Amino acid sequence: MLSPLDYFFGLFSLDIGIDLGTANTLVSVRGKGIVINEPSFVAVERKTRRPIEVGARAKEMWSKNPRDILIVRPLRDGVISEFEVTEAMLNHLIHKAHEQSWVPIPRPRVVVGIPSGVTEVEKRAVYEAAISAGAREVHLIEEPVAAAIGAGLPVQETRGSMVVDIGGGTTEVAIFSLGGIVISRSIRVAGDELDEDIVQYMRTKHNLLIGEPTAERIKIEIGTAYPPPQERIFAVKGRNLLTGLPASVEVSSIEIRDCMSGSVDIVVDTVKDALDDTPPELIGDLMESGICLAGGAGQLRGLPERLTEEINIRTWTADDPITCVARGAGRVLEDYNNLRRLLVGLERGSTRH
């Protein structure tokens, strides 16, 4: 039975779903949907580690920052690598969400998406960061579960469904039935690895030094996982490693596809591995419903066609795939009583403060 204090908080508290991603952090507020979509970047003073800018403003400074300012990506491979900076980022985002709400109580209930392969220590770090940032109650949900809910997959039905959530730091593969995960795989190969493939290729093949922001732009503009109807050319600007001078090199989408092929192959093989362990009855369901792609890197052009050809199951991309995890966390809050068993907590399914 709820205490009077819990009942009071339940009436007036702000419920927030957070996709704490390596590349982007999204915040969903119950009844409002996605209200914040910011890059997971924080600019801090090098000496004091005091946060200066958070989100888009900090990312704009990436690779352009002066010596006394450090640009930090507080999450790597989907988990916290800089605790205090993550806490500052969450605090900023939670307060920003409050600015868009009439709710007078500044301690929200929060559901945070986490990779399915994280350790108990990593779960605890996420929980502590959210509590320190001002959350009253913290629940954790595995990212593939949240992504599937956000994409509208029938995870609670008897028929099987499957999601491949490719973010910045991790790729999550999961097959669902009856409200639970039947098979799951989590690998730390995703969008950041694709960017690194491009950086290394430009260095070794063209003697051109580029940064991760430029590599990400190349991936978005001409990156593909499957031959498109028409190949494209992109002019890449950087520093020539031989002369030390600025230079520009034209690269084709064929080159970029080839240099990313190793990482894409790992993702495809992970999907195959999950299907190899899937019960045959669920395989039949998946052949009817298909496989859903979610996450920012799930938008890589040609990836649905590549997976469809490789595994002989129709693969499709969710609507607005980058927001699936945050939308799924928000839907858990909207239908909390029915969906709370999908949450993963540190103590018997939930964690409270």
Side-chain angles (χ1 to χ4, degrees):
M1 184 174 178
L2 292 177
S3 68
L5 184 61
D6 284 337
Y7 180 73
F8 178 76
F9 275 127
L11 286 176
F12 296 104
S13 67
L14 182 69
D15 289 344
I16 297 176
I18 299 177
D19 174 11
L20 197 60
T22 302
N24 292 277
T25 296
L26 293 88
V27 177
S28 172
V29 173
R30 187 178 64 173
K32 289 181 174 288
I34 305 293
V35 297
I36 297 172
N37 182 352
E38 292 271 14
S40 299
F41 287 77
V42 181
V44 301
E45 289 184 349
R46 190 177 293 272
K47 290 184 178 180
T48 65
R49 304 290 287 186
R50 182 180 67 85
I52 301 170
E53 296 286 354
V54 175
R57 292 288 299 276
K59 187 176 181 179
E60 288 173 4
M61 301 164 68
W62 194 19
S63 299
K64 302 176 184 177
N65 49 298
R67 293 178 182 177
D68 59 333
I69 296 177
L70 184 65
I71 307 302
V72 178
R73 298 183 67 183
L75 295 115
R76 284 289 179 180
D77 299 327
V79 296
I80 292 175
S81 60
E82 296 269 358
F83 180 83
E84 292 182 356
V85 179
T86 301
E87 179 187 330
M89 183 177 73
L90 281 173
N91 189 61
H92 168 81
L93 295 173
I94 288 174
H95 279 81
K96 191 172 180 180
H98 268 288
E99 292 173 1
Q100 305 179 43
S101 173
W102 61 270
V103 178
I105 298 174
R107 293 184 66 80
R109 178 170 61 180
V110 175
V111 171
V112 185
I114 57 170
S116 59
V118 300
T119 65
E120 292 299 313
V121 172
E122 290 166 339
K123 290 178 186 177
R124 174 63 63 178
V126 173
Y127 163 69
E128 294 290 351
I131 287 293
S132 299
R136 168 179 61 91
E137 180 179 343
V138 177
H139 298 275
L140 308 179
I141 184 170
E142 291 180 327
E143 286 178 355
V145 176
I149 295 171
L153 298 184
V155 296
Q156 301 210 85
E157 296 183 9
T158 54
R159 62 191 176 104
S161 54
M162 182 172 183
V163 69
V164 180
D165 178 23
I166 311 174
T170 59
T171 294
E172 308 278 342
V173 179
I175 298 169
F176 306 90
S177 180
L178 293 170
I181 296 178
V182 180
I183 300 291
S184 70
R185 298 288 185 273
S186 180
I187 57 170
R188 297 190 176 185
V189 175
D192 286 351
E193 287 292 325
L194 299 178
D195 295 342
E196 184 60 29
D197 290 341
I198 295 171
V199 169
Q200 293 303 320
Y201 176 80
M202 296 305 299
R203 177 192 288 268
T204 57
K205 180 68 175 180
H206 295 286
N207 292 313
L208 193 72
L209 181 64
I210 63 172
E212 290 180 46
T214 299
E216 183 181 36
R217 190 160 63 250
I218 296 168
K219 177 182 68 179
I220 292 171
E221 291 291 334
I222 63 171
T224 60
Y226 191 82
Q230 184 175 357
E231 303 288 356
R232 299 174 60 195
I233 300 292
F234 187 79
V236 182
K237 298 175 182 177
R239 187 173 78 237
N240 187 289
L241 289 168
L242 301 178
T243 65
L245 299 175
S248 178
V249 174
E250 287 191 339
V251 296
S252 70
S253 53
I254 298 174
E255 291 180 81
I256 300 304
R257 183 168 60 253
D258 287 345
C259 82
M260 296 191 303
S261 62
S263 296
V264 173
D265 287 347
I266 292 173
V267 172
V268 173
D269 289 342
T270 301
V271 175
K272 288 180 177 178
D273 181 60
L275 289 171
D276 190 48
D277 289 339
T278 302
E281 293 301 320
L282 286 180
I283 290 290
D285 292 341
L286 297 179
M287 293 184 72
E288 293 182 8
S289 62
I291 297 172
C292 175
L293 285 175
Q299 300 174 100
L300 181 66
R301 279 190 293 271
L303 188 56
E305 291 83 357
R306 171 74 185 277
L307 283 168
T308 299
E309 182 179 276
E310 292 267 358
I311 62 181
N312 200 31
I313 295 177
R314 178 179 65 89
T315 305
W316 49 281
T317 305
D319 293 334
D320 199 8
I322 198 170
T323 67
C324 282
V325 172
R327 283 188 283 135
R331 288 180 184 174
V332 169
L333 290 166
E334 290 172 2
D335 193 11
Y336 183 74
N337 289 333
N338 290 326
L339 297 177
R340 66 177 300 171
R341 74 187 190 89
L342 298 177
L343 299 171
V344 177
L346 298 174
E347 297 174 4
R348 297 187 301 278
S350 67
T351 308
R352 294 183 59 111
H353 178 65

